Amino acid sequence: MRQRASVLAFGIAIALAGCDRQPETPSADAGAAVVAPATDLAVPAATPAPPAADAAAAGPARLDGYGPLILGATLDEVRAAWKEPLKGDVADDDCHALRPQGSQADDVILMIEGKRLVRYDVRNDRTVAPGGGKVGMSLGQLQTLYPDRGDLTPHKYDEKGHNLRVRPAAEGGALINFEINGDGTVTAWRVGKTPQVDYVEGCS
């Protein structure tokens, strides 16, 4: 009887010892296993910026200027930024046209009024307008490129022609005006702010 009591007491002692056991601390490996799935849910990295070559391919024409020139720049700033001679005189604050010389002679016409750059005109098919339009395109192509802000107006001198006047995305911004002949083909375009962008005869 005494032996049976001893065995029972020993069993109780072992059970009590098991109750005092502390929970195991997760190992570093176990923690990593829990965190790892969250890594798969991380936000993807931002799309890389396009190569600089793509930006350069856009050409010199912008809504805020042309090449090194900014709309609103003074005559002195225009001459300094262009670096090469510009053909034309600006004797007063009236409207005057300046043209590059040499290899860029037919690239662009710069309109100066109040002795500031207020507009530029392009009549070649090499230079792309802001947004993708260019000389030689059809009216349909232009309307695809500028679907929301393009207003079609009659051409002053061509009964079958039109102008597509592209309004600025933000108030006070520059406009683009595409001249379209009776065959529906772009013959020239210009960028500037009002009222100068709407001078049909340029500085004439």
Side-chain angles (χ1 to χ4, degrees):
M1 186 72 177
R2 183 179 298 172
Q3 183 178 0
R4 184 180 298 175
S6 297
V7 172
L8 181 60
F10 180 71
I12 293 171
I14 292 175
L16 291 174
C19 292
D20 290 338
R21 184 177 180 183
Q22 298 297 321
E24 293 182 359
T25 302
S27 66
D29 293 340
V34 173
V35 174
T39 304
D40 296 335
L41 300 177
V43 178
T47 303
D54 292 345
R62 308 182 313 278
L63 285 175
D64 67 341
Y66 183 92
L69 310 180
I70 302 296
L71 287 174
T74 66
L75 177 60
D76 289 342
E77 290 171 338
V78 167
R79 292 192 184 280
W82 195 256
K83 298 186 185 305
E84 297 181 6
L86 290 167
K87 185 178 180 180
D89 295 324
V90 182
D92 49 39
D93 288 341
D94 291 341
C95 183
H96 299 276
L98 294 180
R99 299 170 183 264
Q101 298 187 42
S103 61
Q104 301 183 72
D106 64 345
D107 284 359
V108 65
I109 302 171
L110 307 175
M111 180 181 284
I112 306 294
E113 189 172 74
K115 294 189 177 178
R116 288 185 177 274
L117 177 64
V118 293
R119 162 179 148 179
Y120 66 88
D121 292 54
V122 173
R123 297 174 182 170
N124 66 73
D125 61 1
R126 301 182 306 278
T127 307
V128 178
K134 61 184 293 187
V135 169
M137 279 189 172
S138 68
L139 173 58
Q141 289 174 308
L142 285 187
Q143 290 175 323
T144 299
L145 291 171
Y146 309 94
D148 300 323
R149 303 193 308 275
D151 299 321
L152 200 61
T153 61
H155 195 288
K156 184 174 180 179
Y157 297 112
D158 188 338
E159 292 182 357
K160 296 181 180 180
H162 297 87
N163 288 277
L164 187 71
R165 191 174 185 271
V166 182
R167 290 173 277 111
E171 186 176 353
L175 293 84
I176 314 173
N177 190 96
F178 292 94
E179 292 188 24
I180 303 158
N181 65 17
D183 295 330
T185 302
V186 177
T187 59
W189 53 269
R190 54 188 183 264
V191 173
K193 295 184 179 182
T194 56
Q196 293 88 359
V197 73
D198 294 320
Y199 293 174
V200 177
E201 293 86 4
C203 286
S204 300

